Amino acid sequence: MPELITPSPHLHTSWLAAQREGGLDAQLDSGGLGFDDEVDTPEGFAAWVERLCRCSDRTLPLDHGRVHATYWWIAEGDTYLGAIDLRHYLNGFLLDAGGHIGYSVRPSARRRGLATWALGAVLHEARVLGMDRVLLTCDPDNEASARTIEANGGLLEDVRDTLIGPKRRYWIDL
């Protein structure tokens, strides 16, 4: 049975396997991985996980361009299946292109409803944080992501060109 967990160094091997399946693009989009994060060694991976966990603490300063966010991993036992994050507020870039929530599921775990389930769980967390609506975006040709967002109440605002290409923009009222 899958669950949302706090990122943990104990999933290092499984996380690396997921990256070999799907490349780093998904984690750069929604997993909090930066271009300068070193995740191949256990020590580097643990440092990255620690940084992810600190991102939710609003009393701590963040690197330029980042916002406070809570990260979860979708896991089943010791198997990393994907990631989802909730950005606590939007900066200009996120309002234009990124949204409040990002998620990814490793290729071998897709088509099981994991993203839809995880998004529903994180919408509850957004309510707990006092949010009354959230923005989600996806590529115009990503029908699976559009279905995931729509299944959780997403209403399409528009499709627009952004700094990172065209995006579908959905709002979900909480």
Side-chain angles (χ1 to χ4, degrees):
M1 182 85 169
E3 60 184 327
L4 292 182
I5 66 167
T6 300
S8 172
H10 92 274
L11 292 180
H12 184 219
T13 301
S14 183
W15 186 92
L16 287 174
Q19 297 318 298
R20 286 190 294 274
E21 277 182 25
L24 291 176
D25 290 343
Q27 290 304 318
L28 290 169
D29 289 344
S30 65
L33 184 64
F35 289 107
D36 56 347
D37 287 315
E38 189 285 303
V39 293
D40 291 329
T41 66
E43 299 79 18
F45 189 78
W48 173 60
V49 165
E50 182 180 325
R51 182 179 63 75
L52 289 181
C53 293
R54 284 193 318 264
C55 286
S56 65
D57 185 344
R58 290 178 132 187
T59 66
L60 298 176
L62 297 174
D63 293 338
H64 178 73
R66 294 206 174 260
V67 300
H68 289 94
T70 304
Y71 293 89
W72 294 272
W73 287 352
I74 305 166
E76 199 163 44
D78 288 334
T79 303
Y80 171 90
L81 302 174
I84 188 164
D85 67 299
L86 172 62
R87 297 152 194 144
H88 299 183
Y89 48 90
L90 300 176
N91 60 19
F93 170 77
L94 293 173
L95 179 61
D96 180 53
H100 286 100
I101 298 172
Y103 52 84
S104 63
V105 175
R106 72 189 288 175
S108 64
R110 292 181 183 158
R111 303 183 62 87
R112 293 176 42 190
L114 292 170
T116 302
W117 164 78
L119 177 55
V122 170
L123 290 175
H124 170 75
E125 297 298 328
R127 285 183 201 97
V128 170
L129 280 177
M131 301 169 116
D132 58 0
R133 70 182 195 148
V134 293
L135 173 68
L136 288 95
T137 69
C138 67
D139 291 342
D141 62 347
N142 189 339
E143 292 300 323
S145 191
R147 282 191 307 273
T148 293
I149 296 166
E150 291 168 1
N152 278 284
L155 297 175
L156 182 65
E157 176 183 52
D158 61 17
V159 179
R160 67 174 69 166
D161 288 326
T162 72
L163 293 170
I164 57 173
K167 293 291 176 186
R168 288 177 135 170
R169 294 167 38 87
Y170 291 89
W171 288 94
I172 298 176
D173 288 327
L174 305 172

